[in-house]
Structure formats: structure tokens, C-alpha cells
């Protein structure tokens, strides 16, 4: 058993466990924090898998994203602290079955195929970042630019949807 | 090394199952978004695992991760825009009260 295997299992277990906590707790703020910890554990998994740039990016991006989500939780929830122990679930049995079947199907897909030879080493962090930069500004430039344009469009769309209708009509 | 790949992919499967349960079972829009985030996180874990253990010399694998991260950001921005609009009109983002959207 290698050190990488131990850390991967530890952070992977933490990611799944905090993912479960997101839907188990009554407090919405705790849910947002649990999702933050889950995403951070995933970032740590990336670091263990020697994808340094993506690991740091994941942790930084998700810390910001989940903080915003926690603010929205407090704004929109009827009981953000979970003191009233409100049940905010529906079709529980169907959801459990769907989640369970999805999990089993994914596990079968993971464990049954022969994945072939596995790479033992990866390029260094500096080389990875340089290769990724060349990829993004070379062969995959169109896809990369499309993603940027999509984010810009989504930002404009989200702002327009959220604008007060009266202000929009100049009343 | 194959064990590490299987561990990472199994974690992805676990996140997918939990996210699917959350997206289907929650009645609040923000909680549903959390479930979808977990499903996308599962895709991220799988992509990084495939890059690391099967094609470490191919930077396109990392590029796919960046695209999925962009999708996560877009999904959250649009969902929160809809949540704000819904909250203004109905005073709630409970999806049980949004049955009129069925048409």
C-alpha cells in the first residue's frame, strides 16, 4: 500500500462523507460548509494525483463559490439555521433508489473493464502548467474561448433575470 | 497504480450517487444546485484520474477539467439568477410551489 493510495482513500472518503452530510443536516449553513469541505477534499485529491494547478484552482474556486452559496442559503431559506428541523425533501424513496442504482451502475463501470497499462509518472508541475497553456492557446483555443464566452453570456443572463422588472421598464 | 485509479473512480461513483440522490430529493432550488454540483464534482474526479493514470502526457485531459469547472460556475450563476427572480415573485425558492412551471 503506497502513501498515495492512503491519502487518495482518505481524501476521497472525506469528499463522499461531506457530500452525504450536505443532505443529512437540517442547517443550511452547515450544508454549504459541508459542500465546501467536500470540494476542498476533492482539491486535495487532485494534489495527491499530482495535478497541482488543478488542485489549487479547485480549492480557490470552490471556497469562493461555496461562500456565495452560503450567503444565498441564509437569504432564501425559511429556516437557515435548521432550528425548526423542517423536512425539505420529497420523493425520498425514489431518490434513494435512483441514487443507489446510479452508484451501483457507476461502480460496475469502474470495476469491470480492463483499464490497461497505468502510467507510473507524470510531468513536473511546471511542465504541466506550460503544456496546459500551450494546449489552451493552441489546439483547444476555440473550446477555451467558447467557455469564456459562455461564462460571459451566463453572467449577463443571470443579471438580467434577477433585475427588478419595474426598474427595467423605467418606471 | 491501478488500485489508485480504482479508488479515484470509486470516489467519483460515490459522489455521483450522493449528488443524484440530493438533486432528486430536495425541494429547495439552492439544495438541488448543491446536488448538481456534486455530480459535476464526480466528473472532475474522474477526468483528473483518467489524465493522471492513463494519459499523463496529454494536456487535453486537464483542459476538460477546466471546461467542467466553467460549467459549474455557469450553472450556479444561472440557478441563482432564477432563484432571485423566483424569490421576488413568490417569496420562496421551494420547488414544490413551482408546479405551474409544468405548463
Amino acid at each position: 500500500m503506497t502513501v498515495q493510495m492512503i491519502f487518495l482513500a482518505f481524501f476521497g472518503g472525506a469528499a463522499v462523507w461531506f457530500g452525504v452530510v450536505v443532505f443529512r443536516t437540517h442547517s443550511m449553513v452547515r450544508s454549504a460548509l459541508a459542500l465546501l469541505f467536500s470540494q476542498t477534499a476533492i482539491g486535495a485529491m487532485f494534489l495527491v494525483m499530482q495535478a497541482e494547478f488543478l488542485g489549487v484552482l479547485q480549492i480557490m474556486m470552490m471556497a469562493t463559490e461555496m461562500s456565495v452559496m452560503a450567503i444565498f442559503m441564509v437569504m432564501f431559506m425559511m429556516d437557515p439555521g435548521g432550528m425548526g428541523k423542517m423536512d425539505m425533501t420529497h420523493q425520498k424513496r425514489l431518490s434513494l433508489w435512483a441514487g443507489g442504482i446510479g452508484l451501483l451502475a457507476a461502480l460496475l463501470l469502474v470495476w469491470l473493464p480492463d483499464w490497461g497499462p497505468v502510467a507510473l509518472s507524470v510531468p513536473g508541475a511546471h511542465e504541466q502548467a506550460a503544456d496546459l497553456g500551450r494546449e489552451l492557446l493552441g489546439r483547444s483555443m476555440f473550446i477555451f474561448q467558447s467557455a469564456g464566452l459562455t461564462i460571459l453570456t451566463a453572467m449577463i443572463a443571470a443579471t438580467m433575470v434577477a433585475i427588478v422588472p419595474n426598474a427595467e421598464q423605467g418606471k | 497504480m491501478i488500485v489508485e485509479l480504482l479508488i479515484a473512480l470509486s470516489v467519483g461513483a460515490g459522489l455521483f450517487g450522493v449528488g443524484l440522490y440530493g438533486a432528486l430529493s430536495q425541494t429547495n432550488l439552492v439544495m438541488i444546485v448543491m446536488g448538481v454540483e456534486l455530480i459535476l464534482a464526480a466528473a472532475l474526479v474522474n477526468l483528473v484520474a483518467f489524465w493522471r493514470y492513463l494519459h499523463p502526457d496529454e494536456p487535453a485531459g486537464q483542459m476538460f477539467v477546466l471546461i467542467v469547472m466553467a460549467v459549474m460556475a455557469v450553472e450556479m450563476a444561472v440557478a441563482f439568477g432564477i432563484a432571485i427572480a423566483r424569490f421576488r415573485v413568490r417569496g420562496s425558492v421551494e420547488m414544490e410551489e413551482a408546479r405551474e412551471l409544468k405548463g
Side-chain angles (χ1 to χ4, degrees):
Chain A
M1 188 178 276
T2 62
V3 177
Q4 194 181 45
M5 206 187 290
I6 294 167
F7 276 101
L8 209 52
F10 173 73
F11 287 120
V16 176
W17 170 248
F18 280 116
V20 172
V21 170
V22 170
F23 304 112
R24 295 267 303 169
T25 176
H26 285 285
S27 163
M28 296 304 121
V29 179
R30 276 188 209 145
S31 283
L33 283 176
L35 191 59
L36 168 61
F37 292 145
S38 177
Q39 301 283 2
T40 307
I42 290 169
M45 280 180 78
F46 292 177
L47 293 178
V48 174
M49 288 191 274
Q50 293 161 281
E52 282 89 352
F53 173 68
L54 294 177
V56 173
L57 186 69
Q58 166 82 0
I59 292 170
M60 282 168 56
M61 195 173 145
M62 291 305 151
T64 319
E65 208 172 305
M66 295 311 138
S67 310
V68 173
M69 198 174 251
I71 295 169
F72 271 83
M73 284 291 193
V74 176
M75 277 163 63
F76 288 148
M77 303 297 279
M78 284 180 279
D79 181 20
M83 302 298 279
K85 303 224 179 287
M86 283 172 65
D87 183 27
M88 287 187 300
T89 54
H90 61 172
Q91 50 190 19
K92 246 183 172 172
R93 190 183 291 266
L94 170 79
S95 311
L96 272 173
W97 272 103
I101 290 170
L103 171 66
L104 280 177
L107 282 176
L108 280 178
L109 283 174
V110 167
W111 286 87
L112 286 184
D114 174 23
W115 292 105
V118 171
L120 296 175
S121 62
V122 286
H126 181 264
E127 201 183 331
Q128 275 180 44
D131 285 346
L132 182 60
R134 281 190 209 101
E135 174 75 25
L136 291 176
L137 297 176
R139 198 174 57 156
S140 303
M141 191 179 220
F142 181 72
I143 303 168
F144 185 51
Q145 294 299 325
S146 305
L149 194 64
T150 310
I151 292 178
L152 178 67
T153 313
M155 281 163 61
I156 296 169
T159 311
M160 291 306 290
V161 166
I163 279 175
V164 183
N166 286 347
E168 194 185 20
Q169 290 158 12
K171 285 182 181 173
Chain B
M1 291 301 268
I2 189 79
V3 181
E4 281 95 329
L5 173 66
L6 292 177
I7 290 173
L9 294 181
S10 302
V11 169
L15 287 169
F16 174 74
V18 174
L20 188 61
Y21 163 76
L24 290 176
S25 68
Q26 300 299 307
T27 58
N28 191 285
L29 180 60
V30 186
M31 291 298 287
I32 294 171
V33 171
M34 284 190 168
V36 178
E37 289 275 319
L38 278 176
I39 293 173
L40 289 171
L44 284 182
V45 172
N46 283 6
L47 283 169
V48 173
F50 287 138
W51 166 80
R52 166 61 184 84
Y53 297 111
L54 299 180
H55 301 286
D57 294 322
E58 188 52 72
Q62 293 205 2
M63 193 271 300
F64 274 116
V65 176
L66 292 181
I67 299 296
V68 175
M69 281 183 178
V71 171
M72 285 171 100
V74 165
E75 168 246 334
M76 243 187 74
V78 173
F80 286 154
I82 294 169
I84 291 177
R86 183 83 197 158
F87 195 80
R88 278 222 173 89
V89 177
R90 298 277 166 159
S92 148
V93 288
E94 287 294 311
M95 290 297 101
E96 289 277 290
E97 297 164 17
R99 289 182 186 277
E100 80 273 10
L101 292 177
K102 273 186 174 175

